[in-house]
């Protein structure tokens, strides 16, 4: 499993939207650009989105944060009544708390717009928890102003994120080596990892704001009496 986010300053939004529009115009792309529809016929658009994300990181216009974890290491019964959905929901919460809140909370107001769905539906209810812990982390009050899921069909930034998230998740889980995945996705997964310039997909580089990798493991794995996560 992987969850991820991008951090963009408000005044940087128009420039990035313009670059996304250029790509869509160049390739005559209509409709949503998502990892799941990265097929041979339209893989060039997804490749352009992946390359753009890393160009923006290099230029300092965007930060990228990703959190990996193995679903089979978690006892989903302990996550909540929705089992796996609650496990993923908690992964989103941890990512929000330990990345945007911890990294930017002392200097900026934070507006969060995750992709809508079952796993993010309850996140708006956690804004007080994010601000409570964020105050202890950063010494600032009311850091998070909004947590409002949006539909990726209408939100270009979520589509930009999803292409690289999907590619790196495939590489991390080694799905790009399996016969069942298309050659297009194999190529894009390898490309995304190469563009990170990371020596390895495992471990953490949590101190780096621009391009941040977090491989999380439960403090006590499935089958034990208690649970949690750590920066392992």
């Amino acid at each position: 499993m992987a969850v991820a986010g991008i951090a963009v300053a408000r005044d940087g939004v128009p420039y990035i939207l313009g670059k996304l529009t250029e790509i869509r115009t160049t390739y005559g792309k209509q409709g949503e650009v998502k990892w799941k529809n990265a097929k041979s016929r339209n893989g060039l658009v997804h490749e352009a989105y992946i390359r753009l994300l890393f160009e923006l990181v290099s230029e300092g216009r965007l930060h990228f944060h990703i959190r990996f974890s193995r679903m089979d290491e978690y006892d989903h019964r302990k996550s909540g009544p929705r089992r796996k959905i609650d496990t993923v929901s908690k992964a989103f919460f941890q990512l929000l708390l330990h990345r945007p809140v911890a990294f930017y909370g002392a200097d900026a107001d934070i507006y969060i717009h995750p992709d809508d769905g079952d796993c993010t539906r309850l996140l708006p209810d956690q804004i007080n928890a994010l601000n409570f812990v964020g105050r202890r982390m950063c010494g600032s009050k009311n850091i998070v102003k909004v947590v409002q899921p949006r539909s990726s069909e209408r939100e270009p930034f979520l589509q930009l994120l999803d292409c690289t998230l999907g590619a790196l998740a495939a590489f991390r889980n080694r799905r790009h080596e399996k016969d069942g995945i298309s050659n297009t996705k194999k190529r894009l997964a390898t490309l995304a990892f190469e563009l990170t310039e990371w020596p390895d997909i495992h471990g953490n580089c949590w101190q780096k704001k621009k391009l941040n990798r977090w491989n999380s493991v439960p403090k006590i794995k499935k089958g034990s009496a208690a649970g949690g996560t750590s920066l392992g």
Side-chain angles (χ1 to χ4, degrees), residues 34-190:
K34 296 274 281 187
W35 173 251
K36 67 181 180 182
N37 59 30
K39 300 176 182 177
S40 58
R41 185 170 58 183
N42 58 4
L44 293 178
V45 179
H46 298 74
E47 178 179 342
Y49 271 40
I50 291 170
R51 289 187 180 277
L52 174 62
L53 185 143
F54 287 103
E55 288 173 9
L56 295 169
V57 169
S58 178
E59 294 169 356
R61 298 178 186 270
L62 177 151
H63 292 177
F64 175 77
H65 307 286
I66 190 165
R67 180 189 190 272
F68 299 109
S69 53
R70 288 177 55 102
M71 290 289 279
D72 60 357
E73 292 183 341
Y74 290 82
D75 186 343
H76 304 296
R77 295 172 299 177
K78 292 183 170 66
S79 294
R82 301 182 302 166
R83 305 291 179 94
K84 288 185 178 181
I85 292 176
D86 282 327
T87 299
V88 178
S89 182
K90 290 182 177 182
F92 273 110
F93 178 86
Q94 292 294 320
L95 180 73
L96 295 176
L97 179 63
H98 293 289
R99 293 303 178 264
V101 172
F103 282 5
Y104 314 115
D107 304 310
D109 294 336
I110 298 174
Y111 296 79
I112 298 169
H113 297 288
D115 198 349
D116 62 2
D118 288 339
C119 296
T120 59
R121 180 171 55 85
L122 300 182
L123 286 179
D125 298 335
Q126 300 301 315
I127 188 170
N128 289 335
L130 289 169
N131 281 324
F132 177 78
V133 182
R135 182 177 181 180
R136 291 192 297 173
M137 283 181 168
C138 308
S140 300
K141 297 181 180 179
N142 300 320
I143 294 167
V144 181
K145 302 300 183 184
V146 170
V147 180
Q148 182 185 62
R150 290 181 175 176
S151 170
S152 60
E153 291 183 8
R154 297 185 293 274
E155 179 49 70
F157 279 89
L158 290 174
Q159 297 178 37
L160 174 66
L161 170 63
D162 189 77
C163 291
T164 298
L165 165 60
L168 289 177
F171 192 93
R172 173 65 176 81
N173 296 331
R174 303 182 71 171
R175 289 198 304 272
H176 68 299
E177 298 177 352
K178 297 181 179 179
D179 293 336
I181 192 171
S182 69
N183 288 332
T184 296
K185 286 189 173 180
K186 289 179 181 179
R187 176 176 60 83
L188 293 177
T190 302

